[in-house]
Amino acid sequence: MRKILKKTAMISSLTFSSRMLGVIRDALIAMCFGTSFQSDAFFIAFRPFDLLRKLLSEGILSVSFVPVFSKALENEGLSKAVIMVFSFFCFISLAGIFIVLTGIFCAPLIIKVIAPGFIGDSYTSGLTMILFKIMLPYFWLVLVAALCMGVLNSLGHFGAPAVAPVVFNLVLIVFAIFFSNYLKIPVIGLAAGVTIGGAVQLAIQIPFMIRLGMFKIPLFQFPRLLSVCFFHIGLLKVMKIMVPCMVGAASYQINIMVASFFASKLEEGSVSFIYYADRLVQFPLALFAVSFSMVFLPELSKKAVLGHLDEIADLFSNGVKLVLFITIPAMAGLMALDEKIVALLFGHGAFKGIAIQQTADCLFFLVSGLWAFTGIRLFVTLHYALSSIRIPFYSGILGIVLNLIFCCLFVDSLGLKGLALSVSISGMAGFVFLLINMPGALNIDKSGIIVSACRSVFLSVIMFFLVRQASAFILKEEWNRFWFGTGVMGCICFGMIFYFSVNVFISTPELKMLKKGMTK
């Protein structure tokens, strides 16, 4: 656990940098474009690529690739594993190029599907189509970058894959500031930044792949490798489980995209409100659950290959307790300071008034399911490390179907709040399903996880009301941005001090575990 916590801390620090740059990027977009038709067009066009990026670059491709690659590495050696990587590269390259070309020709149909609320011959629809085509090469780039990430993570190298999103956000910020203003349609600069950022994101990982020997393929083997690249046993195993794995692990991202489809039928700016709320939810989700899972998966996969089931059970139980111990109060803090945080991060330039309120409303209902989104990611990682894909797949299907039903029911009566609530309820249902159907071969401390989570919930509820009252008493709308930001940070620190002080006073095992893992 100590080694996992230290690696997780390293990835979390890099993820924190990436998310902060992502918030700065989105703040610049909000300042320049507000919640206009240009921002709606960009976010709708970017949503499929953003979904793919989250599916792949946050390690969801790894849940299908890493266990198979780790098994090949352990049982057959590095040379055989290199051949598997080459085979996978050939396949995803050809598939990516085919999809890019298909997307160029079928863009009008795709836009009708992903944005049914946009009128077919409207300016917004046409702009969405242009932005979509500009970003299409990013599809291939992110596929290859995700493959590199899966390989590097399997070999215990987490730094470069974690740095890549940081660079991606930096490129987008540069394009938003320095290039967009020189274009007749400024938002086109953002679309170009997505594609260029994807290229840089891939380029960063290539030197590490070379250093680890992933390109050491003798030239005389190329003809034979090319002839069998689509029939490599490792590739066939990964392809067989990849789609079910993605459905099981990415139900949240899919549900957010579905909610955006419904939002395109509401008033202008609705797509943007959901996007900005999702960005704030993604912050703690990526910082804790995704970072932990990226380190968790290779470790659990190796132990599964060696048959150390007792070690897997202990490692997983302790890991879930720690992640929920941190995630639940973060959820309560975001709910308590929803409008204040939105106003601080995005409330400037063209992003004012109703935009802040609508985004805060979405955030409140969306972040209420953070504990479930986090739990799903961890339980899915456990199942995939054990090469079990059926239960996570059923959980993902359950969540997606429920979200679709609730969106249809709530969109007319509750509007954006109903769409955000639909995503959260479906996530909770998926988590409960996974909790009930834990792997039977493992002696996981289910009751201990529930007790730990309930204790965190109880303390976080008290913290919620205290922070809510403190923000209402301290923060004033007429303050300038510096003092307002200082006040928000003060409220956050107050909540953290209360939560951890009480845990120190009652001597919770999670805090002891955290201190032991980080200090020794």
Side-chain angles (χ1 to χ4, degrees), residues 64-73 84 233-235 237-238 241:
S64 58
F65 177 81
V66 169
V68 178
F69 181 78
S70 298
K71 189 173 183 178
L73 198 62
M84 175 186 166
I233 185 64
L235 171 64
K237 287 181 180 179
V238 173
I241 65 176

Side-chain angles (χ1 to χ4, degrees), residues 14 19 29 56 87-88 101 116 143 184 198 213 270 273 283-284 293 414-415 424 434 444 454 470 472 479 512:
L14 292 172
R19 295 297 167 178
I29 295 174
L56 304 179
S87 173
F88 206 85
L101 294 176
L143 281 175
K184 186 176 180 180
S270 296
F273 300 146
F283 199 93
S293 296
L414 297 175
S424 293
L434 287 171
I444 295 174
C454 289
W479 285 0
K512 292 180 181 178

Side-chain angles (χ1 to χ4, degrees), residues 342-368:
V342 172
L344 175 64
L345 297 177
F346 304 125
H348 42 77
F351 198 98
K352 292 289 186 181
I354 189 65
I356 294 175
Q357 185 59 55
Q358 291 274 49
T359 304
D361 289 341
C362 284
L363 175 62
F364 184 89
F365 288 100
L366 191 59
V367 79
S368 64

Side-chain angles (χ1 to χ4, degrees), residues 98-108 110 129 132-133 136-137:
F98 173 78
I99 292 173
V100 168
L101 294 176
T102 302
I104 292 174
F105 291 105
C106 299
I110 294 172
M129 194 181 309
F132 180 80
K133 290 181 178 180
L136 267 172

Side-chain angles (χ1 to χ4, degrees), residues 107-390:
L109 178 62
I110 294 172
I111 298 304
K112 288 182 180 179
V113 173
I114 66 175
F118 290 174
I119 301 173
D121 57 350
S122 67
Y123 181 80
T124 305
S125 179
L127 179 59
T128 305
M129 194 181 309
I130 293 172
L131 300 178
F132 180 80
K133 290 181 178 180
I134 293 173
M135 290 185 281
L136 267 172
Y138 179 72
F139 188 95
W140 178 82
L141 293 168
V142 77
L143 281 175
V144 181
L147 172 63
C148 295
M149 184 194 69
V151 173
L152 293 175
N153 286 350
S154 297
L155 296 173
H157 188 101
F158 299 95
V163 168
V166 176
V167 179
F168 175 78
N169 283 323
L170 280 173
V171 172
L172 275 184
I173 290 172
V174 169
F175 270 77
I177 296 175
F178 297 107
F179 289 93
S180 293
N181 292 334
Y182 294 99
L183 298 174
K184 186 176 180 180
I185 305 176
V187 77
I188 289 179
L190 290 178
V194 170
T195 300
I196 301 300
V200 177
Q201 190 174 6
L202 171 61
I204 284 178
Q205 300 184 72
I206 296 299
F208 296 93
M209 293 283 287
I210 296 173
R211 184 184 304 173
L212 293 171
M214 287 297 107
F215 295 144
K216 288 184 178 179
I217 303 175
L219 292 177
F220 67 85
Q221 289 191 16
F222 264 81
R224 182 178 67 85
L225 289 176
L226 289 174
S227 65
V228 301
C229 67
F230 294 109
F231 302 100
H232 189 280
I233 185 64
L235 171 64
L236 297 178
K237 287 181 180 179
V238 173
M239 294 308 300
K240 182 179 179 181
I241 65 176
M242 188 167 65
V243 173
C245 282
M246 286 186 176
V247 171
S251 57
Y252 170 73
Q253 285 84 1
I254 294 172
N255 287 340
I256 284 290
M257 189 166 69
V258 170
S260 297
F261 297 165
F262 281 91
S264 70
K265 299 179 180 180
L266 301 176
E267 66 269 20
E268 183 180 292
S270 296
V271 174
S272 301
F273 300 146
I274 289 183
Y275 175 84
Y276 289 122
D278 173 48
R279 290 296 300 169
L280 293 175
V281 173
Q282 286 287 339
F283 199 93
L285 184 62
L287 198 60
F288 307 126
V290 173
S291 299
F292 203 89
S293 296
M294 289 174 67
V295 181
F296 227 23
L297 182 60
E299 292 291 331
L300 294 178
S301 298
K302 291 175 184 177
K303 293 184 183 297
V305 171
L306 298 173
H308 298 166
L309 297 183
D310 290 339
E311 294 182 18
I312 291 176
D314 291 339
L315 191 62
F316 179 78
S317 299
N318 292 333
V320 172
K321 292 175 186 177
L322 283 177
V323 172
L324 292 179
F325 175 75
I326 299 172
T327 302
I328 291 173
M331 174 189 72
L334 278 172
M335 294 177 73
L337 297 170
D338 52 357
E339 187 174 350
K340 311 300 183 184
I341 290 176
V342 172
L344 175 64
L345 297 177
F346 304 125
H348 42 77
F351 198 98
K352 292 289 186 181
I354 189 65
I356 294 175
Q357 185 59 55
Q358 291 274 49
T359 304
D361 289 341
C362 284
L363 175 62
F364 184 89
F365 288 100
L366 191 59
V367 79
S368 64
L370 179 61
W371 62 273
F373 308 144
T374 300
I376 287 174
R377 187 62 195 270
L378 296 176
F379 279 103
V380 162
T381 300
L382 172 65
H383 278 277
Y384 291 159
L386 298 172
S387 299
S388 170
I389 64 173
R390 184 172 56 87

